[in-house]
């Protein structure tokens, strides 16, 4: 209990001190409370109590993380309300209020609710239909009041978004990508040290091997944040940095490249960890170690160029990738001309060279993808 309390207190402190997801959540929560309260008060004063609850409920739907999502969900809910109310009124007028008509209403509402355009609000067709049929007896007056309550809630929720629109975080997303690339570059340089060293840092390599999945999870988290920010730019009245759309598109493409690179990095780390445990790493010729270390360092430099928050320089990136490819070719030639120490060492060299070749191939294809959005 104490740990949960401390975690919540830390969450609040981060939200108050600096911009970020914590502050966004706090602001959204505050806007939701105010909008729901205003919607309920207005509905209670203007409409019958039986429909007043629909106003704050709609206000909750109208206050999502982004303006675009709020408008989309609100429109879908309004369509669901209209569909449910029309079904209830029609059945009540044509066939009356009976058990079998309620069953027919349920069947029809479920069918209509499956329409793709209603999205997540499809189930509300049945919910609203039940209220209009049971509490309102399908009467037009009740349905009109229900629609008015929904309209009040939608207006209160959307007004809160217009008064204080969600913050824009394009630069934060760019920085997150830059930090991710810095981590990958650091790992590549660390693996280069491991390959070249006569006394590798076994503990550090083991730690990287154990937490290799964390980098993949970080890529997913950053991509989700970029997607959310791209959506946040739609219909948002707040201004963002110049060229934010292009920068976010580039950042998303860069995450895809980083994700592929982390797969190869994970494979290299696993291979070196196994080679260190089996003492095969010491059997690699010193010349091969040096060449392979150069490949990894050149790849790390290329990753650093891609990960910049400013647009990538295509010419400079080409030079870096070509330089790494040249070192890889030299290592391949060295591998073919060197006498084999053992089949295990031969397999180790082949695995490491394959991983490096795949990494460079993905960096080169990623360079082509980034050129169009840099």
């Amino acid at each position: 209990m104490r740990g949960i309390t401390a975690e919540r207190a830390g969450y609040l402190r981060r939200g108050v001190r600096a911009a970020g997801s914590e502050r966004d959540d706090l602001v959204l929560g505050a806007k939701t409370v105010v909008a729901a309260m205003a919607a309920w008060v207005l509905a209670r004063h203007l409409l019958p109590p039986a429909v007043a609850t629909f106003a704050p409920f709609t206000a909750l739907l109208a206050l999502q993380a982004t303006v675009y999502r709020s408008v989309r969900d609100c429109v879908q809910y309004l369509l669901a309300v209209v569909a449910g109310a029309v079904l209830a009124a029609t059945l009540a007028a044509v066939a009356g209020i009976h058990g079998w008509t309620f069953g027919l209403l349920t069947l029809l509402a479920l069918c209509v609710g499956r329409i793709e355009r209603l999205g997540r609000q499809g189930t509300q067709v049945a919910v609203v239909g039940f209220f209009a049929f049971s509490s309102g007896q399908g009467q037009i007056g009740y349905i009109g009041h229900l629609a008015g309550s929904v309209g009040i809630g939608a207006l209160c929720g959307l007004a809160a978004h217009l008064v204080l629109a969600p913050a824009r975080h394009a630069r934060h997303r760019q920085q997150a990508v830059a930090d991710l690339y810095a981590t990958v570059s650091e790992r590549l340089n660390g693996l280069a040290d491991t390959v070249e060293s006569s006394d590798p840092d076994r503990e550090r390599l083991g730690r990287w091997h154990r937490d290799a999945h964390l980098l993949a999870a970080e890529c997913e988290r950053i991509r989700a944040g970029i997607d959310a920010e791209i959506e946040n730019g739609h219909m948002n009245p707040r201004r963002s940095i110049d060229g934010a759309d292009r920068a976010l598109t580039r950042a998303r493409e860069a995450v895809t490249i980083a994700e592929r690179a982390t797969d190869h990095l994970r494979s290299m780390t696993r291979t070196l960890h196994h080679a260190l445990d089996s003492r095969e790493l010491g059997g690699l010729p010193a010349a091969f170690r040096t060449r392979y270390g150069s490949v990894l360092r050149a790849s790390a430099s290329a990753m650093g160029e891609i990960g910049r928050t400013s647009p990538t320089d295509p010419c400079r990136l080409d030079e870096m990738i070509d330089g790494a490819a040249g070192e890889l070719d030299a290592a391949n030639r060295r591998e073919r001309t060197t006498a084999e120490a053992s089949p295990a060492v031969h397999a180790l060299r082949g695995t490491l060279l394959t991983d490096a070749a795949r990494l460079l191939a993905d960096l080169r294809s990623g360079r082509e993808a980034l050129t169009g959005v840099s």
Side-chain angles (χ1 to χ4, degrees), residues 299-364:
S299 300
S301 297
M303 291 292 291
E305 177 64 26
I306 295 174
R308 293 168 49 193
T309 55
S310 57
T312 300
D313 183 342
C315 296
R316 177 173 169 78
L317 182 57
D318 280 341
E319 290 176 2
M320 291 179 172
I321 296 175
D322 290 342
E327 293 291 345
L328 182 63
D329 288 341
N332 265 311
R333 289 194 299 272
R334 188 79 184 182
E335 194 275 338
R336 288 193 296 268
T337 58
T338 302
E340 300 299 338
S342 69
V345 171
H346 172 72
L348 174 59
R349 282 190 293 193
T351 301
L352 291 174
L353 290 170
T354 299
D355 283 333
R358 289 174 176 170
L359 172 62
L360 291 178
D362 280 335
L363 290 181
R364 197 177 296 280

Side-chain angles (χ1 to χ4, degrees), residues 75 79 104 210 218 234:
V75 170
L79 292 175
L104 181 57
R210 290 190 297 271
E218 183 68 2
H234 302 327

Side-chain angles (χ1 to χ4, degrees), residues 226-355:
I226 293 172
D227 289 342
E229 185 55 35
I230 291 174
E231 181 184 284
N232 190 31
H234 302 327
M235 306 176 72
N236 194 323
R238 283 200 182 191
R239 295 187 60 185
S240 184
I241 61 173
D242 292 337
D245 292 341
R246 182 181 299 178
L248 290 171
T249 301
R250 178 188 179 279
R252 198 182 193 288
E253 197 66 47
V255 171
T256 300
I257 299 169
E259 194 169 38
R260 294 172 184 167
T262 57
D263 288 340
H264 304 310
L265 180 62
R266 183 165 55 245
S267 178
M268 282 186 262
T269 303
R270 181 172 59 248
T271 299
L272 290 174
H273 184 263
H274 174 75
L276 197 57
D277 285 344
S278 62
R279 299 185 179 180
E280 294 171 2
L281 187 60
L284 288 175
F288 177 84
R289 287 166 172 261
T290 301
R291 287 289 187 187
Y292 196 76
S294 298
V295 173
L296 295 182
R297 294 187 196 283
S299 300
S301 297
M303 291 292 291
E305 177 64 26
I306 295 174
R308 293 168 49 193
T309 55
S310 57
T312 300
D313 183 342
C315 296
R316 177 173 169 78
L317 182 57
D318 280 341
E319 290 176 2
M320 291 179 172
I321 296 175
D322 290 342
E327 293 291 345
L328 182 63
D329 288 341
N332 265 311
R333 289 194 299 272
R334 188 79 184 182
E335 194 275 338
R336 288 193 296 268
T337 58
T338 302
E340 300 299 338
S342 69
V345 171
H346 172 72
L348 174 59
R349 282 190 293 193
T351 301
L352 291 174
L353 290 170
T354 299
D355 283 333

Side-chain angles (χ1 to χ4, degrees), residues 23-371:
R23 177 174 291 181
D24 291 344
D25 288 343
L26 292 178
V27 172
L28 181 60
K31 289 194 297 185
T32 301
V33 170
V34 174
M37 180 178 65
W40 184 80
V41 170
L42 288 173
R44 290 279 294 182
H45 278 80
L46 300 175
L47 301 170
V51 298
T53 305
F54 280 92
F57 179 72
T58 309
L60 294 181
L61 289 175
L63 276 165
Q64 302 297 320
T66 67
V67 177
Y68 170 79
R69 198 180 308 172
S70 298
V71 173
R72 182 198 63 194
D73 286 7
C74 200
V75 170
Q76 289 175 341
Y77 181 64
L78 291 174
L79 292 175
V81 168
V82 171
V86 168
L87 285 175
T90 302
L91 281 174
V94 173
I97 308 295
H98 306 288
W100 70 270
T101 52
F102 184 85
L104 181 57
L105 169 65
T106 304
L107 176 61
L108 293 174
L110 291 176
C111 291
V112 173
R114 295 177 67 86
I115 296 175
E116 188 176 352
R117 288 186 178 276
L118 294 177
R120 297 182 304 170
Q121 307 305 325
T123 56
Q124 297 301 322
V125 176
V127 173
V128 173
F130 293 163
F131 272 94
F133 195 80
S134 300
S135 300
Q137 300 293 298
Q139 297 176 2
I140 298 299
Y142 178 89
I143 293 174
H145 289 147
L146 188 151
S149 183
V150 169
I152 289 173
L155 289 174
C156 288
L158 295 177
H161 258 334
L162 292 176
V163 171
L164 186 59
R168 306 294 300 276
H169 297 299
R171 291 195 186 278
H172 290 177
R173 305 308 180 193
Q174 287 180 284
Q175 188 59 50
V177 174
D179 293 342
L180 172 65
Y181 270 80
T183 300
V184 175
S185 296
E186 181 185 356
R187 293 284 177 89
L188 285 171
N189 283 319
L191 291 182
D193 292 340
T194 299
V195 171
E196 296 171 345
S197 175
S198 58
D199 184 22
D201 190 336
R202 184 184 300 269
E203 181 180 350
R204 182 173 64 165
L205 188 61
R207 185 172 64 253
W208 288 349
H209 176 65
R210 290 190 297 271
D211 67 7
H213 65 284
L214 296 179
L215 270 179
E218 183 68 2
C219 289
E220 286 295 327
R221 186 189 68 80
I222 293 174
R223 177 185 284 107
I226 293 172
D227 289 342
E229 185 55 35
I230 291 174
E231 181 184 284
N232 190 31
H234 302 327
M235 306 176 72
N236 194 323
R238 283 200 182 191
R239 295 187 60 185
S240 184
I241 61 173
D242 292 337
D245 292 341
R246 182 181 299 178
L248 290 171
T249 301
R250 178 188 179 279
R252 198 182 193 288
E253 197 66 47
V255 171
T256 300
I257 299 169
E259 194 169 38
R260 294 172 184 167
T262 57
D263 288 340
H264 304 310
L265 180 62
R266 183 165 55 245
S267 178
M268 282 186 262
T269 303
R270 181 172 59 248
T271 299
L272 290 174
H273 184 263
H274 174 75
L276 197 57
D277 285 344
S278 62
R279 299 185 179 180
E280 294 171 2
L281 187 60
L284 288 175
F288 177 84
R289 287 166 172 261
T290 301
R291 287 289 187 187
Y292 196 76
S294 298
V295 173
L296 295 182
R297 294 187 196 283
S299 300
S301 297
M303 291 292 291
E305 177 64 26
I306 295 174
R308 293 168 49 193
T309 55
S310 57
T312 300
D313 183 342
C315 296
R316 177 173 169 78
L317 182 57
D318 280 341
E319 290 176 2
M320 291 179 172
I321 296 175
D322 290 342
E327 293 291 345
L328 182 63
D329 288 341
N332 265 311
R333 289 194 299 272
R334 188 79 184 182
E335 194 275 338
R336 288 193 296 268
T337 58
T338 302
E340 300 299 338
S342 69
V345 171
H346 172 72
L348 174 59
R349 282 190 293 193
T351 301
L352 291 174
L353 290 170
T354 299
D355 283 333
R358 289 174 176 170
L359 172 62
L360 291 178
D362 280 335
L363 290 181
R364 197 177 296 280
S365 64
R367 176 254 184 255
E368 295 173 359
L370 284 174
T371 299

